Amino acid sequence: MEYKIVEIKDRIYYVGVNDRTKHLFENLWPLPKGISYNSYLIDDDKVALIDTVDICYSEVYFRKIKSALGDKPIDYLVVNHMEPDHSGSIRWLIRQYPEITIIGNSRTMDMLKGYYGITDNVLAIKDKDELNLGKNTLRFYLTPMIHWPETMMTYVPESKTLFSGDAFGTFGSLDGGVVDSLLNPDWYFDEMIRYYSNIVGKYGSPVQAALAKLSGIDIEVVCSTHGPVWTEKENIDKVIALYDKLSKYEADRGLVIAYGSMYGNTEQLAEIIAASAAENGIKSIVMHNVAKSHQSDILRDVFKYKGLIIGSPTYNNQLYPGIESLISALRNRNIKNRLFAYFGGFSWADASLRHLSEFAEEMGMEVVCDPVSMKHSLTADVAENARKLGQIMAEKLNCRK
Ligand code: FEO
């Protein structure tokens, strides 16, 4: 046996892999500390595998499966999610186990055919269908749009184990321990927010629907497709509460100031606003120069904090390109329930404030005060307006829980 396979619960094993090579998840989102692709094996009278791993790791993945099972065949593959970071090894799997039956829902079947040409040996399940493996039962819950249409979860009532797909997952490889009780989970919670805001953030309503569906289920283990396996009650409560909060677009008292600045003038407005907000009691302030901060981190912080201030110079009669990109990402994620303010600089035609005003109106943001406009460079009047903006935002944030 090459690998010592981690047993999570009676007959449930972890056979996932770590990826510390890829720079960008989905070729978009930075992976400074890697990522894990989690797959699970239930070695019962019938053997079931839950999801696979990215195709780049098929080889080590199969060596792990072999270490767990030896020559025993796999009867079922449950596909909770078809995105290729989890379905990428399905073709390899079929070559190794030609008799395997692939389980998914009707939308999974369409994707199996489309991505991999698979139409045989498939079993389409419906919501709350069950499949007995021996001592363990698989019960399937359809949870569409977290964050693809076919996403579903699989629950084993005997061990109260939920295989949740991407939900409750995090960026970050598993460096040593796989289960939360054998690692320090602190860092992962922030990465869960970044993962949620980047990947799932658009789908608040489907997440709420899924949480409602799961609310009557007794859960003692959460096996996501990324990050730690959650087994400690405190952590399970925390990750479910976090998903509830994020999907309702609720946020902590704190402020994000995201700005673009070509020559530093607009940036000086951002500095004055931040200092004023701090003087008026806001301790959690995050400033993002959009030309340097990755949008992945800005989105995380916008999902974390209640206050949002955006500043942009006018550029070709439009917004600064990095700000344009940011508001597009916020629009895409239906961001709401934020206290909003904005400011801008221009040299001959003031267009950025108009665009930011349109964004605020479109998103139904509560605009806390008049915007601050600056022509050419900072003056005493403009600085005073910026101080007022920071003060009013702080006062509004302090009034909210
Ligand atoms: Fe981890 Fe949506 O794939």
Side-chain angles (χ1 to χ4, degrees):
M1 186 173 77
E2 292 173 278
Y3 294 95
K4 185 175 179 205
I5 302 301
V6 175
E7 186 172 19
I8 292 165
K9 274 274 187 180
D10 187 31
R11 296 174 178 237
I12 299 177
Y13 299 89
Y14 179 86
V15 287
V17 299
N18 286 307
D19 181 348
R20 299 186 191 88
T21 302
K22 200 176 268 104
H23 288 270
L24 295 174
F25 185 69
E26 294 184 342
N27 217 10
L28 285 168
W29 313 109
L31 295 171
K33 294 190 182 178
I35 192 163
S36 68
Y37 310 116
N38 299 342
S39 172
Y40 305 90
L41 194 59
I42 305 176
D43 183 7
D44 207 327
D45 298 345
K46 294 286 186 182
V47 175
L49 193 61
I50 314 287
D51 291 309
T52 74
V53 303
D54 189 289
I55 195 169
C56 299
Y57 292 86
S58 297
E59 176 68 26
V60 67
Y61 175 53
F62 287 112
R63 294 213 307 263
K64 285 191 167 187
I65 292 173
K66 283 282 179 191
S67 293
L69 285 181
D71 292 329
K72 197 171 173 183
I74 301 175
D75 298 284
Y76 302 107
L77 167 67
V78 177
V79 179
N80 281 331
H81 184 20
M82 272 297 295
E83 194 163 8
D85 54 330
H86 309 297
S87 68
S89 295
I90 290 180
R91 271 211 194 105
W92 270 69
L93 191 71
I94 291 175
R95 264 183 237 136
Q96 305 289 326
Y97 301 98
E99 303 301 320
I100 197 168
T101 297
I102 302 180
I103 296 174
N105 57 71
S106 59
R107 286 182 154 142
T108 319
M109 298 305 148
D110 183 51
M111 292 183 182
L112 277 171
K113 183 180 177 187
Y115 276 103
Y116 305 114
I118 296 170
T119 53
D120 295 335
N121 291 348
V122 294
L123 174 62
I125 54 82
K126 295 189 289 301
D127 193 37
K128 298 192 178 73
D129 277 358
E130 293 191 350
L131 178 70
N132 186 262
L133 302 176
K135 292 189 170 56
N136 294 280
T137 307
L138 304 180
R139 187 188 303 153
F140 307 104
Y141 289 96
L142 303 196
T143 52
M145 296 317 303
I146 309 178
H147 55 121
W148 277 29
E150 87 299 355
T151 46
M152 62 185 214
M153 300 188 190
T154 302
Y155 179 67
V156 176
E158 291 82 0
S159 60
K160 300 174 181 169
T161 300
L162 180 71
F163 299 94
S164 61
D166 283 345
F168 314 117
T170 76
F171 293 124
S173 57
L174 296 170
D175 297 350
V178 165
V179 175
D180 56 356
S181 57
L182 297 177
L183 52 79
N184 182 348
D186 293 350
W187 175 81
Y188 290 100
F189 294 119
D190 224 33
E191 284 295 83
M192 184 177 288
I193 300 174
R194 189 167 70 92
Y195 185 93
Y196 180 91
S197 65
N198 292 185
I199 311 293
V200 188
K202 181 179 178 65
Y203 303 104
S205 297
V207 171
Q208 279 293 307
L211 291 174
K213 189 176 271 192
L214 297 176
S215 63
I217 302 170
D218 194 3
I219 299 170
E220 290 186 358
V221 182
V222 176
C223 297
S224 173
T225 44
H226 300 291
V229 173
W230 305 109
T231 63
E232 300 202 326
K233 184 174 182 336
E234 178 189 0
N235 289 333
I236 291 174
D237 290 348
K238 189 168 176 175
V239 301
I240 291 175
L242 191 56
Y243 257 60
D244 186 40
K245 181 176 181 175
L246 293 170
S247 58
K248 289 176 181 163
Y249 297 91
E250 293 175 353
D252 295 336
R253 183 191 303 167
L255 176 61
V256 177
I257 302 175
Y259 65 92
S261 189
M262 285 176 280
Y263 298 103
N265 291 302
T266 309
E267 183 173 56
Q268 290 312 303
L269 277 183
E271 293 281 12
I272 292 167
I273 291 166
S276 174
E279 280 169 19
N280 287 281
I282 303 303
K283 291 184 178 174
S284 298
I285 299 175
V286 188
M287 299 182 69
H288 285 292
N289 173 354
V290 296
K292 186 174 180 199
S293 294
H294 198 284
Q295 196 173 90
S296 174
D297 295 321
I298 306 175
L299 289 172
R300 175 201 57 215
D301 292 334
V302 171
F303 270 79
K304 269 172 91 168
Y305 294 123
K306 179 82 178 168
L308 173 62
I309 300 178
I310 296 180
S312 173
T314 294
Y315 191 90
N316 285 344
N317 212 31
Q318 298 293 326
L319 291 165
Y320 182 80
I323 294 293
E324 187 71 57
S325 172
L326 174 62
I327 68 169
S328 169
L330 296 173
R331 190 183 283 127
N332 176 270
R333 285 160 182 76
N334 301 319
I335 195 77
K336 57 185 79 152
N337 298 337
R338 294 295 178 273
L339 297 173
F340 186 64
Y342 54 103
F343 60 96
F346 67 100
S347 294
W348 67 93
D350 186 1
S352 66
L353 294 188
R354 174 167 48 84
H355 292 299
L356 289 170
S357 168
E358 288 167 1
F359 167 72
E361 187 172 342
E362 175 194 340
M363 303 302 290
M365 298 269 194
E366 180 180 342
V367 180
V368 301
C369 65
D370 289 339
V372 177
S373 176
M374 177 178 65
K375 185 174 183 180
H376 298 151
S377 64
L378 194 64
T379 63
D381 286 349
V382 171
E384 185 53 29
N385 289 340
R387 270 189 286 278
K388 271 189 203 146
L389 188 151
Q391 180 187 340
I392 293 169
M393 175 60 85
E395 288 167 358
K396 291 278 185 183
L397 286 169
N398 287 329
C399 289
R400 308 297 166 98
K401 61 173 182 148

